Amino acid sequence: MANDSYHGVEDYSPIHLALRTSFASVTAILSVVSNFICLVVLPHVTSIPENNRYFLLSLTIADFGTGIATLTYIAPAANAERMYSDDLCVWVCFFLHLFPLLSIISLIYLTVDKYVAITKPLRYPQLITKRRVIGLIIFTWFICAISYACLLIPGPPAFYSVSAATCVPGLFRNSDVFLYRTFFSGVCIVLLPLITITLIYIHLYRITRRQIREIQERYGPSQEHCNKKSALHAEGRVIRIFAAITITYAIVWIPYFAVVTYRNFTLNTIPWLDFIGAWFVFSGSWCDAVILAGMSPAFRKTAKRLLLDKCGFVRSIRTAPNTNSEVLTISTRNNNISES
């Protein structure tokens, strides 16, 4: 991978450069815009439980940070050359390793929170409190930032991989170290958590379906039955949203580890494979926002309301009936005066 940093623009066709620059631009812009919208809308979606909203905000901030960091890679991807200093390359490496990890950890927290809420509903308010959730998120961000700072910043200078259009920590110039690190991060940090989370969501979905059937058998077509069934359907929708985000993470991470494994065992670099492997991971940051908006009617409804409110439409609609009633009242008074 070290030799890859010496490739120049002459090694890539104009079509190759145009395609990868377009993909990088769309990925970065979508990540920034979609997650910014989520950051604005999420605090107002009251139908999502408060603790879930905090974990979703942590996930969204991490994805938004990924989008901001990938913006710095658009120009180098177009020119097929390194354009930044060693220090800037190290800091971009730091953020693009930190934010995806925080996204996965936030997803794990969401899963644990939902598991406790469904399997231990009576003890949930005492086990998962607002103060504990906020403290856990702050502690996690701090520990992850310190850990990556101690690992990447004092190490060798980062180098730029032209084929992947990303900066790579200098610590990974040694192919053996890079292979061990990839195996460790792939199995322990990504693969096992995603498999565990997926199995938990399958289990929770089955629990929810079983509870719906039990309510139907116990209460029949009563109002209480309808209320409980609607609540469980809402829980099932939330579970499907989080499960879809988990599956998306698995899809975007698998190509990266496949490409890295192939490169380390064959000692061969295929530019377009390197690029897809790296940038599929970054594209996961906007997929989360799209899934949330596409599968949550409450999110879309809240976003529409906020948009109309900002544009002034809601304000005009609210004041229109009052104005009409005032006009009607004045005209009625005038008629009474004229008659008298």
Side-chain angles (χ1 to χ4, degrees), residues 4-193:
D4 180 48
S5 60
Y6 296 105
H7 291 176
V9 68
E10 65 275 2
D11 298 316
Y12 298 88
S13 66
I15 296 178
H16 184 176
L17 289 176
L19 288 175
R20 76 176 198 164
T21 303
S22 300
F23 186 85
S25 302
V26 170
T27 297
I29 293 172
L30 276 178
S31 298
V32 172
V33 174
S34 61
N35 285 289
F36 177 79
I37 294 173
C38 283
L39 287 175
V40 174
V41 175
L42 267 177
H44 302 277
V45 186
T46 56
S47 61
I48 298 178
E50 187 178 36
N51 291 339
N52 285 171
R53 287 206 304 271
Y54 285 122
F55 289 131
L56 279 172
L57 283 172
S58 175
L59 175 66
T60 304
I61 292 172
D63 289 339
F64 180 74
T66 300
I68 293 294
T70 52
L71 286 173
T72 62
Y73 283 154
I74 295 177
N79 294 325
E81 63 180 4
R82 176 173 174 166
M83 302 178 63
Y84 307 121
S85 64
D86 291 343
D87 292 338
L88 182 58
C89 219
V90 168
W91 279 107
V92 175
C93 278
F94 167 75
F95 287 117
L96 284 179
H97 280 76
L98 173 65
F99 290 135
L101 175 63
L102 288 168
S103 296
I104 294 175
I105 294 176
S106 299
L107 190 58
I108 294 173
Y109 289 160
L110 276 168
T111 305
V112 173
D113 177 78
K114 187 54 62 179
Y115 182 81
V116 175
I118 292 178
T119 58
K120 301 181 184 298
L122 298 179
R123 296 186 59 195
Y124 176 80
Q126 290 76 35
L127 294 174
I128 312 294
T129 64
K130 176 181 176 182
R131 180 175 298 179
R132 288 178 180 177
V133 168
I134 295 176
L136 180 63
I137 292 173
I138 294 175
F139 176 77
T140 302
W141 277 71
F142 177 77
I143 291 299
C144 290
I146 294 298
S147 300
Y148 269 120
C150 295
L151 177 66
L152 297 180
I153 295 178
F159 65 96
Y160 182 74
S161 171
V162 178
S163 61
T166 59
C167 289
V168 180
L171 179 66
F172 304 143
R173 279 185 180 271
N174 186 319
S175 59
D176 292 334
V177 173
F178 189 70
L179 181 61
Y180 294 146
R181 170 260 181 189
T182 302
F183 177 80
F184 175 79
S185 60
V187 174
C188 299
I189 300 179
V190 178
L191 188 60
L192 287 179

Side-chain angles (χ1 to χ4, degrees), residues 332-340:
T332 304
R333 289 176 180 175
N334 290 336
N335 290 335
N336 293 336
I337 293 173
S338 61
E339 290 177 359
S340 61

